[in-house]
PDB file of all heavy atoms in Angstrom:
ATOM      1  N   CYS D  20      15.816  55.158 -15.001  1.00  0.00           N
ATOM      2  CA  CYS D  20      14.927  55.106 -13.834  1.00  0.00           C
ATOM      3  C   CYS D  20      14.617  53.660 -13.453  1.00  0.00           C
ATOM      4  O   CYS D  20      14.550  52.782 -14.317  1.00  0.00           O
ATOM      5  CB  CYS D  20      13.605  55.801 -14.138  1.00  0.00           C
ATOM      6  SG  CYS D  20      13.767  57.475 -14.788  1.00  0.00           S
ATOM      7  N   VAL D  21      14.420  53.461 -12.151  1.00  0.00           N
ATOM      8  CA  VAL D  21      14.055  52.138 -11.633  1.00  0.00           C
ATOM      9  C   VAL D  21      12.601  52.202 -11.174  1.00  0.00           C
ATOM     10  O   VAL D  21      12.211  53.142 -10.477  1.00  0.00           O
ATOM     11  CB  VAL D  21      14.958  51.744 -10.452  1.00  0.00           C
ATOM     12  CG1 VAL D  21      14.586  50.364  -9.913  1.00  0.00           C
ATOM     13  CG2 VAL D  21      16.422  51.777 -10.863  1.00  0.00           C
ATOM     14  N   GLY D  22      11.820  51.212 -11.559  1.00  0.00           N
ATOM     15  CA  GLY D  22      10.409  51.141 -11.150  1.00  0.00           C
ATOM     16  C   GLY D  22      10.242  50.185  -9.984  1.00  0.00           C
ATOM     17  O   GLY D  22      11.021  49.239  -9.830  1.00  0.00           O
ATOM     18  N   HIS D  28       5.281  50.413  -2.221  1.00  0.00           N
ATOM     19  CA  HIS D  28       4.786  51.140  -3.403  1.00  0.00           C
ATOM     20  C   HIS D  28       4.339  50.154  -4.479  1.00  0.00           C
ATOM     21  O   HIS D  28       3.317  50.359  -5.138  1.00  0.00           O
ATOM     22  CB  HIS D  28       5.846  52.085  -3.954  1.00  0.00           C
ATOM     23  CG  HIS D  28       5.503  52.658  -5.298  1.00  0.00           C
ATOM     24  ND1 HIS D  28       4.406  53.478  -5.489  1.00  0.00           N
ATOM     25  CD2 HIS D  28       6.066  52.509  -6.525  1.00  0.00           C
ATOM     26  CE1 HIS D  28       4.327  53.812  -6.779  1.00  0.00           C
ATOM     27  NE2 HIS D  28       5.323  53.228  -7.421  1.00  0.00           N
ATOM     28  N   PHE D  43      13.539  51.896 -16.970  1.00  0.00           N
ATOM     29  CA  PHE D  43      13.032  52.678 -18.100  1.00  0.00           C
ATOM     30  C   PHE D  43      13.844  53.963 -18.195  1.00  0.00           C
ATOM     31  O   PHE D  43      14.698  54.222 -17.341  1.00  0.00           O
ATOM     32  CB  PHE D  43      11.517  52.956 -17.959  1.00  0.00           C
ATOM     33  CG  PHE D  43      11.120  53.705 -16.718  1.00  0.00           C
ATOM     34  CD1 PHE D  43      10.994  55.081 -16.722  1.00  0.00           C
ATOM     35  CD2 PHE D  43      10.861  53.018 -15.529  1.00  0.00           C
ATOM     36  CE1 PHE D  43      10.618  55.766 -15.577  1.00  0.00           C
ATOM     37  CE2 PHE D  43      10.489  53.701 -14.369  1.00  0.00           C
ATOM     38  CZ  PHE D  43      10.368  55.070 -14.393  1.00  0.00           C
ATOM     39  N   GLU D  69       6.240  61.197  -7.843  1.00  0.00           N
ATOM     40  CA  GLU D  69       7.070  60.125  -7.282  1.00  0.00           C
ATOM     41  C   GLU D  69       8.381  60.760  -6.825  1.00  0.00           C
ATOM     42  O   GLU D  69       9.200  61.146  -7.657  1.00  0.00           O
ATOM     43  CB  GLU D  69       7.352  59.038  -8.330  1.00  0.00           C
ATOM     44  CG  GLU D  69       6.104  58.317  -8.828  1.00  0.00           C
ATOM     45  CD  GLU D  69       6.414  57.070  -9.669  1.00  0.00           C
ATOM     46  OE1 GLU D  69       7.607  56.845  -9.983  1.00  0.00           O
ATOM     47  OE2 GLU D  69       5.466  56.341  -9.996  1.00  0.00           O
ATOM     48  N   GLU D  71      12.112  60.641  -5.371  1.00  0.00           N
ATOM     49  CA  GLU D  71      13.135  59.594  -5.483  1.00  0.00           C
ATOM     50  C   GLU D  71      14.540  60.101  -5.149  1.00  0.00           C
ATOM     51  O   GLU D  71      14.869  61.264  -5.394  1.00  0.00           O
ATOM     52  CB  GLU D  71      13.143  59.043  -6.933  1.00  0.00           C
ATOM     53  CG  GLU D  71      11.733  58.722  -7.406  1.00  0.00           C
ATOM     54  CD  GLU D  71      11.637  57.785  -8.586  1.00  0.00           C
ATOM     55  OE1 GLU D  71      12.681  57.368  -9.123  1.00  0.00           O
ATOM     56  OE2 GLU D  71      10.481  57.465  -8.956  1.00  0.00           O
ATOM     57  N   ASP D 100       9.939  61.935 -10.288  1.00  0.00           N
ATOM     58  CA  ASP D 100       9.618  61.215 -11.521  1.00  0.00           C
ATOM     59  C   ASP D 100       8.117  61.381 -11.707  1.00  0.00           C
ATOM     60  O   ASP D 100       7.332  60.643 -11.125  1.00  0.00           O
ATOM     61  CB  ASP D 100      10.027  59.741 -11.347  1.00  0.00           C
ATOM     62  CG  ASP D 100       9.360  58.813 -12.349  1.00  0.00           C
ATOM     63  OD1 ASP D 100       8.879  59.286 -13.388  1.00  0.00           O
ATOM     64  OD2 ASP D 100       9.333  57.586 -12.080  1.00  0.00           O
ATOM     65  N   THR D 102       4.599  61.068 -13.383  1.00  0.00           N
ATOM     66  CA  THR D 102       4.083  59.906 -14.106  1.00  0.00           C
ATOM     67  C   THR D 102       2.622  60.102 -14.475  1.00  0.00           C
ATOM     68  O   THR D 102       1.823  60.505 -13.628  1.00  0.00           O
ATOM     69  CB  THR D 102       4.215  58.655 -13.202  1.00  0.00           C
ATOM     70  OG1 THR D 102       5.585  58.497 -12.833  1.00  0.00           O
ATOM     71  CG2 THR D 102       3.723  57.401 -13.891  1.00  0.00           C
ATOM     72  N   LYS D 121       5.868  58.250 -19.019  1.00  0.00           N
ATOM     73  CA  LYS D 121       7.014  58.624 -18.193  1.00  0.00           C
ATOM     74  C   LYS D 121       7.892  59.672 -18.858  1.00  0.00           C
ATOM     75  O   LYS D 121       8.831  60.167 -18.244  1.00  0.00           O
ATOM     76  CB  LYS D 121       7.869  57.372 -17.915  1.00  0.00           C
ATOM     77  CG  LYS D 121       7.206  56.348 -16.993  1.00  0.00           C
ATOM     78  CD  LYS D 121       7.279  56.816 -15.537  1.00  0.00           C
ATOM     79  CE  LYS D 121       6.983  55.684 -14.564  1.00  0.00           C
ATOM     80  NZ  LYS D 121       7.077  56.148 -13.158  1.00  0.00           N
ATOM     81  N   TYR D 187      17.391  57.518 -11.359  1.00  0.00           N
ATOM     82  CA  TYR D 187      16.277  57.678 -10.425  1.00  0.00           C
ATOM     83  C   TYR D 187      15.997  56.298  -9.834  1.00  0.00           C
ATOM     84  O   TYR D 187      15.773  55.345 -10.578  1.00  0.00           O
ATOM     85  CB  TYR D 187      15.035  58.219 -11.157  1.00  0.00           C
ATOM     86  CG  TYR D 187      15.083  59.712 -11.432  1.00  0.00           C
ATOM     87  CD1 TYR D 187      16.063  60.260 -12.262  1.00  0.00           C
ATOM     88  CD2 TYR D 187      14.146  60.575 -10.868  1.00  0.00           C
ATOM     89  CE1 TYR D 187      16.106  61.632 -12.504  1.00  0.00           C
ATOM     90  CE2 TYR D 187      14.172  61.952 -11.110  1.00  0.00           C
ATOM     91  CZ  TYR D 187      15.157  62.464 -11.929  1.00  0.00           C
ATOM     92  OH  TYR D 187      15.202  63.819 -12.174  1.00  0.00           O
ATOM     93  N   GLY D 189      13.625  54.944  -7.785  1.00  0.00           N
ATOM     94  CA  GLY D 189      12.314  54.426  -7.399  1.00  0.00           C
ATOM     95  C   GLY D 189      11.700  55.208  -6.251  1.00  0.00           C
ATOM     96  O   GLY D 189      12.395  55.913  -5.529  1.00  0.00           O
ATOM     97  N   THR D 190      10.379  55.057  -6.107  1.00  0.00           N
ATOM     98  CA  THR D 190       9.643  55.879  -5.144  1.00  0.00           C
ATOM     99  C   THR D 190       9.002  55.038  -4.041  1.00  0.00           C
ATOM    100  O   THR D 190       8.584  53.912  -4.301  1.00  0.00           O
ATOM    101  CB  THR D 190       8.564  56.714  -5.884  1.00  0.00           C
ATOM    102  OG1 THR D 190       8.141  57.801  -5.050  1.00  0.00           O
ATOM    103  CG2 THR D 190       7.341  55.881  -6.262  1.00  0.00           C
TER     104      THR D 190
HETATM  105 ZN1   ZN R 301       9.576  56.436 -10.342  1.00  0.00          ZN
END
Side-chain angles (χ1 to χ4, degrees):
C20 308
V21 180
H28 169 63
F43 59 94
E69 297 191 353
E71 312 199 358
D100 162 19
T102 303
K121 291 283 196 179
Y187 282 63
T190 198

